[in-house]
Amino acid sequence: MSARALVTGLGIVAPTGLGIEDYWSATLAGRSAIGRVTHFDPTPYPSRLAGQVSGFDAAEHLPSRLLPQTDRMTRLALVGADWAFEDAGVVPADLPTYDIGVITASHSGGFEFGQNELRALWSKGGQYVSAYQSFAWFYAVNSGQISIRSGLRGPSSVVVSDQAGGLDAVAQARRQIRKGTSMVISGAVDASICPWGWVAQMAGGRLSTSDDPERAYLPFDDRAAGHVPGEGGALLVVEDAGHAKRRAAPRVYGEIAGHASTVDPRPGSDRAPTLQNAIQLALADADMVADDIGVVFADAAGLPDLDRAEAEAITKVFGPRGVPVTAPKTTTGRLYSGAAPLDLAAAFLSMRDQVVPPTAASTPARSYEIDLVTGAPRPAELRSALVLARGHGGFNSAMVVRGADHAALRPVGKDTHDHQ
């Protein structure tokens, strides 16, 4: 159980940019991609804003045979996986197939594909339903399609714990590395911005109904009134440190150092939420203390009661305004299972460039004793970061990551690949 799990490649598909540097430059600038939904007409619905991935044409990146059998979510994930392997300098076919696994998370599966097939069923009949519906909607479809496309036969699975799932999947990848697997591609991509998916998300009661993109998603702000959904996420190449050294990996972003997950007590219980426990357990797993953490990437629910619970957990661990806190997802919307892996990517890029990205739009409420970074990027000496995620139903996940200076390999440079 002593193998170190390094991150050697990133594949980013986000509303604010396709590829690492496009996403990162938009994030540092606080440039938002939140706007009115264009995938369908949102006029009849109370919530009408989303963070959508633009400029993505799957036909430019994937073989035509894959298009009729995949949901938009899976197409984004396949391209993100290709980019992550390229960034890591890995050609999967050149490595033993049982040495590489794939572990992803999913919030809702291929909703848009399922909706289209149900429409065909209702309007035309069962003979018009695609045979691909049998798997294209499924939670595990991204893991399966990435595995098939890249010829990966190592440990593979899917994690379903809503927004917390993205961190839990990467934690499972680390477990497989410690068990002897050389490499796992892990993370999550979600995309359910379609009428069926929209109704399902509204049923949770957490979506903002504002039509102003600059005021709709304001975590830790007195005006907070829900979140804006988004699509996209990130895939990470997680690799055994010894394997990365032997193959002379071109870059190392850092290490998955610690993780913990907890579940909150049922609603109405007199017991306290358990996010603080998750943070403390993750720090202990990393053999670190609160003072070691340079920045916290917050879950940032955008609802007063949930924001308060997160702010209190952070304050109890780090002290009042004891650590910079940021939520760059205010520029993308909440990407569900894809959100936390994208925050992980941002954490590694923050440590690479020694800067904390801002939380766009929000003005921190005085009642929260957290040091929320707003307005502009903040230069900082960053050796480690904490990423938090919470899922509907009480899931909590906390992950500690260390920077590249802890890796016995050439540190990451700023020549990281960009993809248009």
Side-chain angles (χ1 to χ4, degrees), residues 24 27-28 294-297 324-328 346 349-351 353-359 371-374 376-382:
W24 188 233
T27 300
L28 291 179
V295 59
V296 174
F297 284 76
V325 177
T326 187
L349 295 171
S350 291
M351 291 185 288
D353 292 351
Q354 296 292 284
V355 63
V356 178
T359 305
D371 178 16
L372 190 67
V373 177
T374 61
R378 181 188 296 180
E381 186 176 332
L382 302 177

Side-chain angles (χ1 to χ4, degrees), residues 27 30 32 55 113 129 136 138-139 148 153 183 202 220 249 277 285 299 302 325 328 335 347 363 379 387 392:
T27 300
S32 177
F113 195 103
V129 176
F138 192 47
Y139 298 99
I148 294 167
R153 298 184 181 182
M183 183 181 294
M202 288 193 304
F220 306 112
N277 295 350
D285 185 40
D299 173 71
V325 177
L335 312 185
T363 300
V387 178
H392 197 78

Side-chain angles (χ1 to χ4, degrees), residues 92-383:
D94 293 343
L95 298 176
T97 57
Y98 288 95
D99 282 7
I100 311 179
V102 51
I103 300 173
T104 68
S106 180
H107 162 263
S108 53
F111 248 72
E112 186 174 17
F113 195 103
Q115 173 187 292
N116 291 338
E117 298 311 310
L118 285 173
R119 182 187 293 116
L121 174 66
W122 296 333
S123 63
K124 299 178 182 180
Q127 66 270 33
Y128 292 95
V129 176
S130 169
Y132 297 126
Q133 167 65 2
S134 62
F135 59 81
W137 71 272
F138 192 47
Y139 298 99
V141 66
N142 287 354
S143 288
Q145 289 285 18
I146 292 169
S147 175
I148 294 167
R149 176 168 167 77
S150 298
L152 313 181
R153 298 184 181 182
S156 299
S157 60
V158 64
V159 178
V160 182
S161 49
D162 192 35
Q163 179 108 352
L167 289 187
D168 293 340
V170 176
Q172 178 64 13
R174 184 179 70 147
R175 292 187 189 102
Q176 294 301 333
I177 295 296
R178 289 181 163 185
K179 290 179 179 180
T181 301
S182 297
M183 183 181 294
V184 179
I185 185 162
S186 186
V189 172
D190 258 317
S192 55
I193 302 178
C194 62
W196 189 23
W198 206 247
V199 171
Q201 292 172 53
M202 288 193 304
R206 296 183 176 183
L207 265 60
S208 170
T209 57
S210 172
D211 284 324
D212 183 351
E214 296 183 0
R215 298 171 62 90
Y217 181 26
L218 301 170
F220 306 112
D221 191 304
D222 284 328
R223 301 166 293 170
H227 72 263
V228 172
E231 61 180 359
L235 278 300
L236 294 74
V237 174
V238 184
E239 186 171 0
D240 171 71
H243 185 268
K245 186 174 183 179
R246 287 191 298 274
R247 73 174 184 89
R251 55 185 55 78
V252 173
Y253 290 96
E255 178 183 2
I256 307 298
H259 172 261
S261 59
T262 61
V263 179
D264 288 339
R266 61 176 176 79
S269 169
D270 59 359
R271 291 180 293 154
T274 60
L275 179 62
Q276 179 185 347
N277 295 350
I279 296 171
Q280 292 170 327
L281 289 169
L283 287 170
D285 185 40
D287 195 23
M288 296 169 67
V289 296
D291 287 346
D292 294 325
I293 299 298
V295 59
V296 174
F297 284 76
D299 173 71
L303 287 167
D305 57 338
L306 293 173
D307 286 350
R308 184 174 301 107
E310 183 172 26
E312 288 177 355
I314 293 171
T315 299
K316 287 177 180 177
V317 175
F318 297 96
R321 297 176 178 83
V323 63
V325 177
T326 187
K329 59 172 65 74
T330 53
T331 63
T332 64
R334 286 174 71 86
L335 312 185
Y336 298 104
S337 66
L342 189 60
D343 277 348
L344 281 178
F348 285 118
L349 295 171
S350 291
M351 291 185 288
R352 181 193 77 175
D353 292 351
Q354 296 292 284
V355 63
V356 178
T359 305
S362 286
T363 300
R366 293 183 179 179
S367 57
Y368 302 134
E369 294 184 300
I370 58 173
D371 178 16
L372 190 67
V373 177
T374 61
R378 181 188 296 180
E381 186 176 332
L382 302 177
R383 295 187 178 90

